[in-house]
Amino acid sequence: MSIFESYLFTGKDIFSPSFLVSASFAVSWLFSSYNYTLWGLSDFGILTVLYIFFGLQIFILVDSFAKNIRLRKQSRSLKLESQQHRAKVYINKWAAIFSSAYQLIVLILTRRQVQAIGSLGDTDNFLYNYRIVTSFENLQTSRLVSFLSEISLAVAFVFLYIFIRNFQTSKIYEKILLILPVLILCLTNISSGSRFNIIKLFTAGFAYYMLIFVRKKVKFSFVAKSALLVVVFFGLFYLIRTFSGRLDESSAIEYLSSYLGGPIKLFDLYIRDRGVSHSIFGEETFYSINTLLIKLGILNTPMYSPHLEFRYFNGINLGNIYNGFRRSIQDFGPLGYFLVTSFTSLFYSIFYQYIKQNRDKNQIFSIMIYGAMTYPLFLYSINDYFSQGIISVNFVQFIFYMLIFSKLVIRKDDNESNWESEHV
């Protein structure tokens, strides 16, 4: 119901923050229904439903409020607005070639580190060993490789933005040069047993397309094509699991229903039994901030893991991901849940409306950042990635790398003919 409510209250905007969050829960509900009997969903708690319902209502109300805030700067003519917002951006072809070479170097270095660390595990699957060792035994790759990987991620996002913005005007060889750094980054992630950055790139790519090209209310055909694209992505997400160190041999629907639908049942189990209270302020919600404070010696407590507890139902391991509301409830109770949810929705709604209302500006970096920040909205039914990933020093560093790199490679020129032989 919330997804239709958001659709109406936000002026039929399918990319508003509240619609994306509502859609994420709708997808989770849909996949959880596959295990309706197995997971005992007929006995779903009313308090669980209320927490999810009112959390979504907060997003919808804040979105509606932000829509009426005037954030527009001085406007220009509609013709200039369209040209400026979609104008082709140029990048020196040697910058694109150098960037692909850099991505390949990071791929090779990452692969070597993964093999070295994965050899320490208990199974013959070194990717599986690497995931377990780095996730639960606090053993990581070298600082150099981690640093180079952070820059590599920023490079991929910049090229993804340029690829989408220039897609309708670039030639085939230009498209290849622009997408190559992104594809190499995806290979690097798969070869290290991770798919999370691929999810980030997918959601960012969708955001870039919506914010650059979609200016009116979308038609049903566009929604259908978008849904088909998501289904294809889910299929690829399932297929590459074995190449990224997953040993699960379940069918596609079983795997996806557990991955996407599991948080619904897990959240219900959590609401019924919240366990012991934490002794650290914001232990789950502010993990990234607390980690920094511990390293600086300001917070006098041992390092702790961001991973939540695993839960079982009828002997079935459902995992340890609960949705975006769990952490604030555990740390601060109902009031904290209300405040954290309100702040998250207000942050995204204001940022989104600022971009929408200033389409006459050539907002290269604003769109680039917002697109990179949209994955918590798409994944809100799974986890609170806003507090875990966006409110962190790592994300500030990522923005800095992306800003510096985009300033170095992106060029503007009104005379396209002057760039044909030298620029992409």
Side-chain angles (χ1 to χ4, degrees):
M1 183 182 74
S2 295
I3 189 171
F4 298 108
E5 185 182 357
S6 172
Y7 181 70
L8 296 175
F9 272 79
T10 58
K12 301 181 180 181
D13 186 351
I14 67 167
F15 199 68
S16 67
S18 63
F19 186 90
L20 294 180
V21 172
S22 298
S24 73
F25 274 94
V27 170
S28 286
W29 279 108
L30 178 64
F31 277 98
S32 67
S33 65
Y34 177 80
N35 297 296
Y36 184 85
T37 302
L38 186 64
W39 292 350
L41 295 180
S42 59
D43 189 33
F44 207 74
I46 184 64
L47 186 58
T48 306
V49 174
L50 291 175
Y51 266 119
I52 295 175
F53 174 76
F54 284 112
L56 295 179
Q57 294 304 304
I58 292 172
F59 268 94
I60 294 171
L61 291 174
V62 171
D63 232 356
S64 301
F65 166 76
K67 187 178 178 223
N68 296 315
I69 298 177
R70 183 173 178 80
L71 300 169
R72 185 174 178 82
K73 295 182 179 180
Q74 185 177 1
S75 61
R76 303 180 184 183
S77 68
L78 292 177
K79 181 178 180 181
L80 179 58
E81 177 181 330
S82 177
Q83 292 174 345
Q84 185 78 344
H85 194 65
R86 304 183 188 186
K88 184 177 181 179
V89 294
Y90 297 92
I91 174 173
N92 187 287
K93 68 178 181 181
W94 292 109
I97 294 172
F98 172 80
S99 298
S100 293
Y102 174 82
Q103 300 290 69
L104 281 173
I105 292 173
V106 175
L107 170 61
I108 294 170
L109 292 176
T110 301
R111 186 69 176 179
R112 288 180 177 176
Q113 291 258 322
V114 170
Q115 289 177 329
I117 295 176
S119 64
L120 303 175
D122 300 325
T123 72
D124 295 331
N125 190 319
F126 71 89
L127 272 177
Y128 174 81
N129 295 338
Y130 175 80
R131 288 181 54 246
I132 298 302
V133 169
T134 55
S135 295
F136 299 102
E137 298 182 20
N138 203 30
L139 180 62
Q140 302 293 331
T141 55
S142 71
R143 291 184 178 181
L144 174 61
V145 174
S146 297
F147 172 71
L148 295 177
S149 297
E150 291 170 1
I151 297 177
S152 174
L153 183 62
V155 170
F157 272 91
V158 171
F159 273 96
L160 178 63
Y161 171 84
I162 300 172
F163 171 78
I164 291 175
R165 178 157 173 165
N166 290 359
F167 189 82
Q168 297 179 352
T169 57
S170 57
K171 300 175 183 178
I172 294 179
Y173 84 92
E174 295 174 337
K175 290 182 174 67
I176 294 174
L177 284 176
L178 292 174
I179 199 62
L180 198 56
V182 181
L183 296 178
I184 297 174
L185 185 278
C186 292
L187 287 176
T188 302
N189 272 255
I190 294 173
S191 68
S192 62
S194 174
R195 295 170 294 177
F196 194 50
N197 284 335
I198 298 176
I199 297 175
K200 291 181 183 179
L201 287 167
F202 177 78
T203 57
F206 188 74
Y208 294 154
Y209 181 85
M210 291 292 296
L211 294 172
I212 294 171
F213 295 111
V214 179
R215 308 174 60 77
K216 299 178 180 179
K217 295 176 182 178
V218 298
K219 298 180 180 179
F220 176 79
S221 59
F222 177 82
V223 177
K225 291 177 182 178
S226 299
L228 179 61
L229 181 63
V230 171
V231 171
V232 171
F233 179 78
F234 283 162
L236 293 174
F237 185 81
Y238 169 76
L239 291 175
I240 65 175
R241 76 196 190 288
T242 56
F243 300 103
S244 55
R246 270 70 178 177
L247 304 180
D248 195 307
E249 297 182 356
S250 57
S251 66
I253 186 62
E254 291 173 338
Y255 182 82
L256 292 173
S257 65
S258 176
Y259 195 91
L260 298 171
I264 294 294
K265 180 60 181 179
L266 280 163
F267 186 60
D268 184 51
L269 294 175
Y270 163 73
I271 294 298
R272 293 170 184 268
D273 178 17
R274 301 185 189 181
V276 297
S277 301
H278 295 317
S279 58
I280 304 173
F281 179 80
E283 182 170 328
E284 294 186 11
T285 308
F286 301 136
Y287 168 76
S288 298
I289 297 176
N290 287 342
T291 299
L292 175 63
L293 296 178
I294 293 172
K295 290 179 179 179
L296 295 176
I298 299 174
L299 185 61
N300 185 23
T301 188
M303 282 288 187
Y304 61 93
S305 172
H307 302 296
L308 304 178
E309 73 278 2
F310 286 85
R311 290 183 184 256
Y312 297 79
F313 182 77
N314 288 340
I316 304 171
N317 183 357
L318 298 179
N320 65 335
I321 50 177
Y322 294 80
N323 76 31
F325 301 126
R326 159 21 219 264
R327 293 178 184 270
S328 58
I329 295 173
Q330 177 66 20
D331 287 334
F332 310 116
L335 178 60
Y337 144 85
F338 171 78
L339 294 176
V340 171
T341 305
S342 298
F343 175 77
T344 303
S345 57
L346 184 64
F347 175 87
Y348 277 103
S349 296
I350 293 293
F351 198 168
Y352 178 62
Q353 288 300 324
Y354 172 80
I355 292 176
K356 281 190 64 177
Q357 295 180 31
N358 290 279
R359 290 273 181 121
D360 55 331
K361 301 292 182 180
N362 196 17
Q363 302 179 90
I364 293 178
F365 198 61
S366 295
I367 294 177
M368 206 179 290
I369 293 177
Y370 186 81
M373 295 173 58
T374 54
Y375 72 92
L377 299 175
F378 285 88
L379 302 176
Y380 211 82
S381 63
I382 295 178
N383 199 355
D384 179 12
Y385 289 112
F386 178 68
S387 67
Q388 302 301 293
I390 303 302
I391 304 180
S392 67
V393 174
N394 286 339
F395 191 74
V396 174
Q397 292 174 336
F398 167 76
I399 292 177
F400 175 75
Y401 299 146
M402 195 161 57
L403 173 62
I404 296 300
F405 184 75
S406 63
K407 293 294 184 183
L408 289 175
V409 301
I410 294 178
R411 299 289 184 266
K412 300 176 184 178
D413 193 275
D414 294 328
N415 189 354
E416 184 171 345
S417 62
N418 291 338
W419 297 78
E420 288 180 349
S421 62
E422 299 180 1
H423 293 74
V424 176

